[in-house]
Amino acid sequence: TRRFGHAATDRQHAYLDPSVVDQMAETDVIESGIMQAVEHYGALTYGEAMDRFEEIGVLSRSAFNSAADEPKISTRDDMIAKVSQPMAQVPPLAAGLLTSHDFNQGDAGKRVKKDVMRKHMTRVISEVMDSDPKVVYIGEDVEHGGYYLVTEGLAKKFPGRVIDFPPDETTLLGAAMGFSQVGLVPIVEIPYSKYLDCGADM
């Protein structure tokens, strides 16, 4: 669970009217979810939900306090030792296998303009989704391009297969597991590496 995180998305003002953003901010997602679980599905009572809510609160505060008491990492070397895997040895390519001509020049030796990385990613994702109808793409704001516009235009090209989720990486990974168990092939976008540990909770 994030102790510090955004309550909304980074790009919502690009495609939502301010009044809609305000209305969403006033909506209590937890409250509406509990009402649905109690009144529609009969999964639990309001008393059981409150007990569970308080239990989770105690566990969360305990985990946060424990993390706050851990020794602070103060140097780059300590950080690398804490979070990085050892670098794998990569064998060198055979001489002459690739040349600058392959990447920088087009026909007749003319230099061609390079696309930014996200456009290459968009193209590859589109090719994968074209080739396999079971592939779905899920993440935060991805229906509107995602934080870095990697999925720009894909929701329109593949209706129902590019799906927005709230900013909750644990839920994203859980949904991906569920999708895969029913035969889909999920691609999960987690745009910031610092939130990978939230996904690891799943």
Side-chain angles (χ1 to χ4, degrees):
T1 302
R2 296 182 184 178
R3 185 172 188 178
F4 305 106
H6 46 261
T9 59
D10 289 351
R11 297 193 60 249
Q12 62 183 8
H13 290 282
Y15 56 84
L16 291 177
D17 182 89
S19 64
V20 176
V21 175
D22 292 340
Q23 183 180 2
M24 291 170 63
E26 294 173 1
T27 302
D28 189 327
V29 177
I30 294 176
E31 180 182 347
S32 60
I34 290 173
M35 287 179 60
Q36 187 178 35
V38 172
E39 298 180 9
H40 183 72
Y41 294 107
L44 73 172
T45 66
Y46 281 114
E48 290 170 337
M50 180 56 70
D51 290 344
R52 181 64 176 146
F53 183 78
E54 292 176 353
E55 178 188 355
I56 292 171
V58 170
L59 292 171
S60 297
R61 284 187 290 274
S62 175
F64 293 153
N65 291 335
S66 176
D69 290 337
E70 292 178 357
K72 301 298 182 271
I73 296 174
S74 58
T75 69
R76 180 179 184 276
D77 289 342
D78 288 345
M79 174 64 75
I80 291 173
K82 180 79 173 176
V83 303
S84 298
Q85 290 290 326
M87 295 294 288
Q89 293 296 321
V90 178
L93 292 173
L97 183 62
L98 297 176
T99 68
S100 60
H101 174 84
D102 297 320
F103 297 102
N104 299 330
Q105 297 180 345
D107 294 337
K110 294 181 180 178
R111 293 184 66 83
V112 295
K113 183 179 178 181
K114 298 177 183 178
D115 275 331
V116 293
M117 177 61 75
R118 72 169 178 85
K119 292 188 177 182
H120 292 294
M121 294 169 70
T122 305
R123 177 178 53 79
V124 170
I125 294 165
S126 180
E127 289 174 359
V128 169
M129 296 184 78
D130 258 331
S131 66
D132 187 348
K134 297 188 296 298
V135 173
V136 294
Y137 195 101
I138 63 176
E140 302 160 18
D141 265 341
V142 293
E143 289 184 27
H144 307 280
Y147 294 161
Y148 299 107
L149 300 179
V150 171
T151 54
E152 187 174 29
L154 294 183
K156 184 175 181 180
K157 184 175 181 181
F158 304 101
R161 293 172 58 196
V162 179
I163 308 166
D164 275 346
F165 272 72
D168 176 0
E169 291 74 21
T170 310
T171 298
L172 269 172
L173 268 292
M177 292 177 188
F179 284 170
S180 64
Q181 288 169 355
V182 297
L184 297 174
V185 181
I187 300 173
V188 182
E189 178 178 304
I190 298 180
Y192 302 115
S193 61
K194 65 182 178 180
Y195 293 136
L196 287 173
D197 57 339
C198 299
D201 292 341
M202 178 51 66

